[in-house]
Amino acid sequence: MPGTRFGTFDDLLQLTGEPMRPIVERLRAIVLEVDPTACEVVRLGDRAATYGVGPRKMIEGYAYLMPHRAWVKLGFFQGASLDDPRRLLEGTGARMRHLKVRSVADAERDGIRELLAAALAERRCALNL
């Protein structure tokens, strides 16, 4: 994609405010616990790391981390279709949903791993993988 800047996870951390870095690192570790084979693509222009079954963000991606000043957004590209019995997800978009993680302890909330696993399963099913 012309104009898209890619980088490493360390590059993303450098763009992230110090208080949010441990949260981003913990969320990344949780994503990789749920999906050790996740394809991680860091898009510095978006200031985000995306995780998917392949590198294409909106087609193969199932989740993303986007650090903000006071929280880290854990987003789900097909979040509107996910079962969310704990009502963690926010947003009103046709497809995307997210939750805001404000601390490392908050990253350990019940339901986050389940949402990640459901998002991964949804992408694998949608793409016949």
Side-chain angles (χ1 to χ4, degrees), residues 46 48-50 57-59 61-66 73-82 89-99 122:
D46 293 345
T50 62
K57 178 169 76 171
M58 297 304 290
I59 295 171
Y62 59 84
Y64 64 92
L65 301 177
M66 183 180 286
K73 183 186 290 186
L74 171 57
F76 297 90
F77 293 110
Q78 303 298 324
S81 68
L82 298 179
L89 296 175
E90 302 175 34
T92 58
R95 290 190 224 162
M96 295 175 70
R97 295 288 186 274
H98 69 274
L99 58 106
E122 184 281 332

Side-chain angles (χ1 to χ4, degrees), residues 33-121:
E33 286 169 16
V34 171
D35 182 10
T37 64
C39 178
E40 178 182 71
V41 179
V42 176
R43 291 175 170 81
L44 298 175
D46 293 345
R47 296 179 62 105
T50 62
Y51 299 89
V53 296
R56 296 180 298 171
K57 178 169 76 171
M58 297 304 290
I59 295 171
E60 296 170 325
Y62 59 84
Y64 64 92
L65 301 177
M66 183 180 286
H68 291 268
R69 189 169 285 138
W71 65 79
V72 177
K73 183 186 290 186
L74 171 57
F76 297 90
F77 293 110
Q78 303 298 324
S81 68
L82 298 179
D83 185 31
D84 182 23
R86 291 186 175 83
R87 299 177 147 333
L88 297 176
L89 296 175
E90 302 175 34
T92 58
R95 290 190 224 162
M96 295 175 70
R97 295 288 186 274
H98 69 274
L99 58 106
K100 294 174 183 157
V101 181
R102 292 179 166 85
S103 68
V104 173
D106 201 20
E108 300 296 339
R109 273 188 285 181
D110 287 341
I112 288 180
R113 284 174 177 80
E114 291 83 359
L115 285 169
L116 286 164
L120 171 60

